[in-house]
Amino acid sequence: MSKSSAAQVRHKVDELYRIESRRVFATLIRLLGDFDLAEEAMHEAFTAAVEQWQCDGIPRNPRAWLVSTGRFKAIDSVRRRSRFDASLEELARRLEEIADDKAEKANQEVEDDRLRLIFTCCHPSLSPELQVALTLREVCGLKTEEIASAFLITPPTLAQRIVRAKAKIRDAGIPYEVPSLAELPTRLDAVLSVIYLVFNEGYSASSGESLIRIDLSEEAIRLGRLLLDLLPDSEVMGLLALMLLQESRRDARATSDGDVILLEDQDRSLWNRQQISEGTTLVNRSVASRDYGIYTIQAAIASVHANSRTAAETDWAQIVSWYDLLLQAEPSSIVELNRAVAVAMQEGPLVGLELVESILERGDLVEYHLAHATRADLCRRLGRTEDAKKSYESALSFARQEPERRFLEKRLIELG
Amino acid sequence: MMKFVCLGYIDEAKWDEMSENEQSAFINECFTYDDELRRGSHFLGGQGLQSSQNAVTLRWQGEQAMVVDGPFSETKEQLGGILFLEARDLNHAITLMSKHPMVRGGAFEIRPADEKINAMIEERSSQSFSS
């Protein structure tokens, strides 16, 4: 260790905080068994680093130093409080028993701690909203205010949710662990759906009204990458691919006024080639594994679009067959509707229209604006102007997002 | 180790439709799995419950406790039995109980016991015994 200037130390600590603080936090949770105690200890360790490293120099393994210092800070704090609360005495004793070398375990263990943290935050016994809030806060390190503004709720409401979630983790005995291999498929589902929920919040809001919204899509992609690093599973690959491929069209999806541009009308030169190629590689790897699910299938559909040079050159037959697979894996009317659109492109609007009408006649999706918009579009292409108008009007009555309403109104005017 | 209280709900109408043989087969299956839990020292006890029609509910009304007919008759699933379980943590409890035949009967609730209150109950019980 060598002496370092105050500025050097500051800079190094700032950098470490950005890169390592979530790792240090995840390990401290394992050692201390308590979210709040771990967070407090982590902050104290970083504060101590600024002071001590100026005298002692920057240690060779800063992360291990931070974890070990955090642990001692936690012991101090519990000891202090145990003077007033005898029940903490036991905890303080237990903390001291943890050998110091445990805090300096190999890298693999540290990465496991991050994975444990993700699975704990996404435990199925927590409601989806709690899962999202906790994951963004504890795994991504977002501030309460940032998450609250992204989800358009007040910071106190969110803070309450986080407190409730942490209390449930502690009191209900939700373990800090990666589920066993047998449980993994079902538990991984919750984790993937949280990440996808975060992504979609950023994706659908980007046409949007709110400027204070942080970029949740980027955050979700970062989470996806982290998860794939930690757990190279084919569905994790599929989800990351799906997010990258959707994100690649971000700049082409809307006009500068925020108007919707349909996939077939988008300027494909605006699509992000790098994201497309990364996403495509991931889809191919996942499909080759022969053990994949709904995220990979949706990513495969997105990759067919992404790799078509023009809308007319799209391989609709391939897209229809992916939709067939998706319907088997997860039957839903929405998937059926999307498949109908692809069939219409492949076999003509009349075949597609029959499929859409059979869904609506069944009573499904009758309040879903896109079902009516799809019917309207197919009628328009068949020259059935009056039917098309009626369906656009139904679509308008159910559409809630402003850009979508503008789009539908424009179409109605075009029909005269 | 933590204590969990497992609440098994059943659709009483469906239960009544089952033949006596089917009912006893189901109960036997439950008992067999209880034995499994006993072998692992996870089974702390349990109580089966009579039909909710035989239940009364006490409600504080005005300044006194009123006895009323169970307010639950309109819900389809009723509490059918209670099991006390000991497990490492929630995941362990879920793993143990997801194999229990009772789960197939209806909704199944797993709740951690409130150790603070239970300690108070424990203390109270030992006092009454010694006096």
Side-chain angles (χ1 to χ4, degrees):
Chain A
M1 292 189 195
S2 62
K3 284 231 180 238
S4 311
S5 76
Q8 266 177 328
V9 167
R10 264 248 87 124
H11 180 77
K12 180 74 183 168
V13 172
D14 281 350
E15 186 187 271
L16 279 168
Y17 189 83
R18 263 200 324 279
I19 304 168
E20 298 279 14
S21 62
R22 290 296 115 187
R23 288 196 179 91
V24 171
F25 177 62
T27 299
L28 284 172
I29 293 179
R30 171 166 54 84
L31 296 174
L32 305 174
D34 184 297
F35 275 71
D36 292 325
L37 196 57
E39 184 163 331
E40 199 184 305
M42 186 224 1
H43 286 294
E44 285 197 40
F46 274 96
T47 311
V50 176
E51 287 166 21
Q52 282 200 26
W53 295 357
Q54 281 177 35
C55 306
D56 305 343
I58 294 164
R60 239 178 337 128
N61 186 344
R63 185 203 296 157
W65 187 96
L66 288 162
V67 168
S68 148
T69 306
R71 189 175 69 87
F72 283 119
K73 295 282 178 191
I75 294 173
D76 284 350
S77 137
V78 173
R79 277 256 173 261
R80 255 194 325 273
R81 276 180 257 173
S82 70
R83 265 182 244 142
F84 308 103
D85 183 350
S87 66
L88 288 171
E89 185 55 35
E90 171 57 30
L91 176 63
R93 230 197 334 272
R94 200 163 50 82
L95 287 181
E96 277 178 359
E97 276 170 14
I98 303 167
D100 207 14
D101 64 359
K102 237 186 156 176
E104 296 186 32
K105 282 248 172 90
N107 261 337
Q108 182 52 47
E109 188 124 334
V110 173
E111 294 308 322
D112 286 350
D113 285 337
R114 307 184 82 191
L115 199 54
R116 280 187 196 107
L117 185 56
I118 294 177
F119 275 98
T120 307
C121 292
C122 298
H123 198 277
S125 71
L126 300 169
S127 72
E129 59 179 21
L130 292 184
Q131 292 177 12
V132 168
L134 258 198
T135 305
L136 286 173
R137 178 107 192 300
E138 313 300 335
V139 183
C140 303
L142 295 189
K143 293 194 182 69
T144 306
E145 293 75 20
E146 291 175 314
I147 308 168
S149 80
F151 285 94
L152 305 175
I153 50 176
T154 66
T157 307
L158 181 74
Q160 246 172 20
R161 279 187 201 166
I162 288 172
V163 168
R164 221 181 322 133
K166 286 180 184 170
K168 183 160 184 185
I169 289 175
R170 190 185 57 234
D171 299 338
I174 293 174
Y176 188 56
E177 65 178 23
V178 179
S180 67
L181 216 55
E183 294 170 304
L184 198 58
T186 50
R187 290 288 308 283
L188 187 58
D189 269 1
V191 172
L192 296 177
S193 72
V194 164
I195 297 178
Y196 199 40
L197 210 68
V198 171
F199 178 81
N200 275 325
E201 193 60 33
Y203 188 81
S204 50
S206 63
S207 53
E209 306 76 19
S210 163
L211 292 170
I212 44 170
R213 199 161 267 234
I214 50 148
D215 206 328
L216 288 175
S217 299
E218 257 172 47
E219 208 52 56
I221 289 174
R222 202 165 68 84
L223 260 174
R225 286 189 199 287
L226 170 64
L227 190 62
L228 185 59
D229 266 356
L230 301 172
L231 194 76
D233 172 275
S234 58
E235 271 300 84
V236 180
M237 243 175 250
L239 175 62
L240 179 57
L242 177 60
M243 294 191 295
L244 286 167
L245 290 165
Q246 286 184 0
E247 185 69 6
S248 74
R249 299 201 286 263
R250 176 181 280 267
D251 293 339
R253 281 189 296 130
T255 66
S256 51
D257 302 331
D259 280 345
V260 179
I261 305 177
L262 293 183
L263 184 60
E264 56 190 83
D265 301 324
Q266 287 174 14
D267 177 356
R268 295 181 182 225
S269 70
L270 294 177
W271 289 1
N272 184 321
R273 287 289 133 200
Q274 207 191 329
Q275 284 172 334
I276 290 176
S277 94
E278 191 189 351
T280 307
T281 309
L282 286 167
V283 177
N284 293 340
R285 266 176 62 199
S286 176
V287 170
S289 78
R290 289 171 170 276
D291 176 28
Y292 54 84
I294 54 165
Y295 293 108
T296 300
I297 298 172
Q298 293 175 81
I301 294 168
S303 97
V304 176
H305 286 302
N307 291 296
S308 308
R309 279 196 308 136
T310 62
E313 281 170 73
T314 308
D315 183 350
W316 290 106
Q318 202 191 336
I319 290 182
V320 171
S321 63
W322 280 118
Y323 272 122
D324 289 339
L325 260 186
L326 188 56
L327 263 181
Q328 271 176 33
E330 197 183 52
S332 90
S333 304
I334 302 236
V335 173
E336 252 184 276
L337 180 68
N338 287 321
R339 180 182 174 276
V341 173
V343 170
M345 295 305 288
Q346 190 198 359
E347 298 183 40
L350 195 59
V351 189
L353 185 61
E354 278 169 11
L355 293 172
V356 175
E357 285 180 340
S358 75
I359 299 171
L360 287 169
E361 275 159 23
R362 230 171 35 210
D364 285 357
L365 306 184
V366 281
E367 291 185 10
Y368 184 52
H369 65 288
L370 291 182
H372 296 285
T374 306
R375 181 176 185 274
D377 188 55
L378 295 172
C379 288
R380 182 180 60 87
R381 278 155 59 188
L382 287 165
R384 287 161 51 175
T385 313
E386 283 314 306
D387 287 340
K389 274 190 198 166
K390 263 186 222 147
S391 284
Y392 277 126
E393 275 158 10
S394 314
L396 258 174
S397 70
F398 293 116
R400 277 195 220 106
Q401 271 188 313
E402 221 21 70
E404 287 183 329
R405 297 184 57 86
R406 284 204 299 274
F407 174 83
L408 293 167
E409 279 161 359
K410 212 170 81 190
R411 277 283 152 103
L412 253 179
I413 292 166
E414 279 167 9
L415 285 176
Chain B
M1 287 302 236
M2 292 176 70
K3 290 192 179 72
F4 292 89
V5 180
C6 304
L7 307 171
Y9 290 81
I10 52 161
D11 183 336
E12 289 185 345
K14 269 197 192 148
W15 176 255
D16 291 341
E17 277 168 25
M18 282 164 70
S19 72
E20 227 163 274
N21 276 343
E22 284 171 325
Q23 288 180 349
S24 70
F26 182 76
I27 291 171
N28 268 331
E29 234 187 303
C30 288
F31 284 176
T32 312
Y33 191 72
D34 287 349
D35 289 340
E36 186 91 5
L37 291 174
R38 278 191 190 90
R39 273 193 284 279
S41 317
H42 298 300
F43 187 87
L44 301 177
Q47 298 280 320
L49 302 175
Q50 288 186 18
S51 155
S52 62
Q53 283 176 11
N54 299 346
V56 288
T57 301
L58 298 183
R59 231 174 232 293
W60 190 250
Q61 257 170 11
E63 285 301 305
Q64 54 180 329
M66 298 282 288
V67 180
V68 291
D69 192 12
F72 353 85
S73 16
E74 62 276 8
T75 57
K76 220 168 116 195
E77 288 187 339
Q78 306 291 342
L79 194 55
I82 296 173
L83 192 151
F84 302 110
L85 185 79
E86 190 162 69
R88 227 169 27 246
D89 51 38
L90 185 64
N91 275 7
H92 190 207
I94 293 171
T95 309
L96 288 172
M97 290 315 290
S98 52
K99 285 183 224 126
H100 202 294
M102 244 167 33
V103 176
R104 301 201 305 262
F108 203 88
E109 192 174 326
I110 300 176
R111 279 226 217 161
D114 188 326
E115 294 300 350
K116 235 185 205 159
I117 299 220
N118 291 337
M120 286 157 67
I121 295 173
E122 196 72 22
E123 198 185 312
R124 200 66 179 200
S125 302
S126 61
Q127 278 170 7
S128 347
F129 273 117
S130 54
S131 65

